[in-house]
Amino acid sequence: MYKYKWWSTSLILIPFISILVLLLRSNGIQTFFASNQLEESIKNSVGIVGWIFGGIMSLLGFLTIFIAFTYENKLLKASKIKQQLLRPYALNLSEIINKLSEYSLYTRRDFIINIIYWIFLIVSSSSVIIWGIIIAFYTNFDFSLSVINQNKVINYVLLLLWILFTLFLLSILVMINFIRFNKDPLAEGYLLDGFELSDIESLKRNKADLQELYYKITPTLILMKNPNYLPDKISYKLELSIHFPVKLLNIRFVVVLYKQQSDDISIRVFGVLKNLNKLGESFSTIIADDINIIGDSINEKTTGVIKFYDREDNLISLLKLKVEENEEGMSIKASEKVDLNLITRDVDYKDIEKRDEEFIDYTI
């Protein structure tokens, strides 16, 4: 992520190091200045330029720090939201959706902070060069330690102030650069972007509690009576659809409904979700509109589970399902979490094994 984050700081480091080496190692230049004293007017002109840049830097530094802390507050809020979404124990479904939208706003890269960074970088680099030249004029490059006198002490004090001034500017630039690239203020590394926080694989790498998250956002299966159903009540047709209240990238799932008081499977629904257009969006689709149901093979006493897998087909969440009947048909929702350690053998993943495109299908 952001491969070349720090190259721009070389624009201040290179002139700083170059001038520092020039000041401390250029004996020939020191001899020239000692034998050719510059006119006082030139030194005064250089001093005036230095004070002008000093005033500009003071004002710009204050404004930059103020704006930087404003952006830092946004990143602090985003970091707290990230931690809440990784472990959503205190969040309900609507709060999860809202926080995904908020997180996207807080972490969106802003061109204003980029403009501020580059302006401050250019002015800082110019100031380092100008103040370095001013020190050269005022000290005549005289930093030898062979003889220590009052002038030498003043020269070294000026040099130390210039070094501290440069380090101060560099520290501000580093802080702004962290903010530009969304450094996480509460944890190591950088904040995830909005789509990374909506990616199951990314959440897994960041040690999210996926069992809890899936329990909060689990989809609902809907079996709705088709207007063309047969009225003899012995068999009838249903429309099968699924609704995800929140669509996330790389959701891989298998739903298994069992026949009443039997281990025989009544219906299986499985699929992979890959495409995401907007953070926090929901997703619904009709899977089939002509499913034949015989008798009471699916009713409120029907049991079932929904399993979620990662890309390596490891089981990462397991939820029990319950059926709720109404006049229009049935809805199937998650009722409780199941401990993954209870599963010793699982082959349901074969329905989605090696499938990397978005699809949803079913079998009866």
Side-chain angles (χ1 to χ4, degrees):
M1 183 179 176
Y2 309 128
K3 186 176 180 180
Y4 302 106
K5 290 190 283 286
W6 297 104
W7 71 267
S8 56
T9 54
S10 63
L11 297 180
I12 191 172
L13 285 173
I14 290 175
F16 168 67
I17 294 173
S18 300
I19 293 174
L20 183 62
V21 171
L22 193 65
L23 289 172
L24 297 178
R25 305 288 294 180
S26 299
N27 295 328
I29 297 178
Q30 177 189 348
T31 302
F32 170 80
F33 272 88
S35 58
N36 299 276
Q37 295 296 322
L38 295 175
E39 293 183 9
E40 195 67 26
S41 60
I42 297 178
K43 288 188 177 182
N44 291 337
S45 298
V46 174
I48 290 172
V49 173
W51 283 112
I52 291 174
F53 259 87
I56 294 173
M57 285 305 304
S58 297
L59 178 60
L60 184 60
F62 174 78
L63 293 175
T64 301
I65 293 174
F66 174 78
I67 295 172
F69 275 111
T70 301
Y71 277 88
E72 178 73 10
N73 187 48
K74 290 175 59 178
L75 296 185
L76 186 63
K77 292 180 180 178
S79 182
K80 290 180 179 178
I81 290 175
K82 186 191 81 170
Q83 296 302 324
Q84 289 176 324
L85 291 174
L86 291 178
R87 294 163 186 83
Y89 308 116
L91 301 179
N92 56 36
L93 176 59
S94 61
E95 289 172 333
I96 290 174
I97 297 172
N98 290 335
K99 288 188 180 296
L100 280 171
S101 300
E102 288 179 25
Y103 185 86
S104 175
L105 293 174
Y106 288 142
T107 56
R108 184 177 300 163
R109 296 193 67 189
D110 198 321
F111 76 97
I112 294 177
I113 195 70
N114 282 321
I115 292 175
I116 291 172
Y117 175 79
W118 285 106
I119 291 175
F120 191 79
L121 176 62
I122 293 170
V123 175
S124 297
S125 182
S126 302
S127 296
V128 168
I129 294 172
I130 290 173
W131 279 96
I133 294 172
I134 290 172
I135 290 174
F137 275 116
Y138 274 91
T139 62
N140 294 335
F141 291 86
D142 187 7
F143 294 98
S144 64
L145 296 175
S146 56
V147 178
I148 302 297
N149 54 38
Q150 183 178 355
N151 289 335
K152 294 285 182 65
V153 172
I154 293 174
N155 289 351
Y156 272 100
V157 168
L158 290 174
L159 181 64
L160 179 61
L161 289 175
W162 177 67
I163 293 173
L164 292 175
F165 171 70
T166 303
L167 293 177
F168 173 69
L169 296 179
L170 189 60
S171 65
I172 294 177
L173 285 169
V174 169
M175 179 183 67
I176 300 174
N177 212 32
F178 275 136
I179 294 172
R180 286 175 68 217
F181 292 103
N182 292 339
K183 173 71 173 70
D184 192 333
L186 300 180
E188 294 182 0
Y190 294 83
L191 290 169
L192 305 172
D193 66 35
F195 283 93
E196 286 177 320
L197 196 62
S198 298
D199 186 342
I200 294 300
E201 296 299 319
S202 176
L203 292 172
K204 181 187 173 185
R205 287 193 298 270
N206 284 271
K207 301 179 180 179
D209 189 337
L210 295 176
Q211 176 84 319
E212 181 70 20
L213 179 63
Y214 272 128
Y215 180 63
K216 298 291 179 65
I217 67 166
T218 192
T220 299
L221 274 175
I222 301 169
L223 285 164
M224 185 175 295
K225 293 179 181 179
N226 192 303
N228 299 318
Y229 75 95
L230 301 177
D232 57 13
K233 294 187 180 181
I234 297 175
S235 65
Y236 53 92
K237 291 186 177 182
L238 292 175
E239 177 186 274
L240 173 63
S241 62
I242 189 169
H243 172 69
F244 289 82
V246 181
K247 186 179 184 182
L248 300 180
L249 292 167
N250 290 311
I251 290 180
R252 307 173 68 86
F253 70 95
V254 176
V255 175
V256 181
L257 293 179
Y258 299 99
K259 293 181 179 179
Q260 184 178 346
Q261 297 178 345
S262 171
D263 291 334
D264 295 334
I265 295 175
S266 174
I267 189 171
R268 297 171 66 92
V269 179
F270 46 90
V272 177
L273 300 187
K274 296 289 293 185
N275 305 320
L276 186 62
N277 298 317
K278 185 174 64 175
L279 298 180
E281 69 179 359
S282 60
F283 174 74
S284 299
T285 186
I286 297 174
I287 304 171
D289 60 3
D290 58 352
I291 293 181
N292 290 313
I293 300 297
I294 300 175
D296 292 331
S297 58
I298 300 179
N299 55 40
E300 288 188 336
K301 295 182 180 180
T302 299
T303 59
V305 293
I306 181 169
K307 298 179 178 181
F308 295 95
Y309 298 88
D310 63 13
R311 190 173 289 172
E312 286 74 41
D313 298 321
N314 298 310
L315 184 63
I316 55 177
S317 180
L318 176 60
L319 307 172
K320 279 187 177 181
L321 298 175
K322 64 178 179 180
V323 178
E324 297 178 355
E325 292 188 87
N326 53 54
E327 293 182 356
E328 296 180 347
M330 290 168 280
S331 60
I332 303 161
K333 303 177 180 180
S335 60
E336 61 181 287
K337 294 176 284 187
V338 180
D339 189 350
L340 297 179
N341 294 322
L342 298 177
I343 305 300
T344 58
R345 183 174 179 271
D346 177 46
V347 294
D348 288 325
Y349 68 86
K350 292 186 178 297
D351 290 322
I352 55 174
E353 187 178 19
K354 297 180 180 179
R355 299 291 297 271
D356 206 34
E357 74 281 3
E358 179 164 305
F359 81 100
I360 296 178
D361 204 349
Y362 78 102
T363 59
I364 295 181

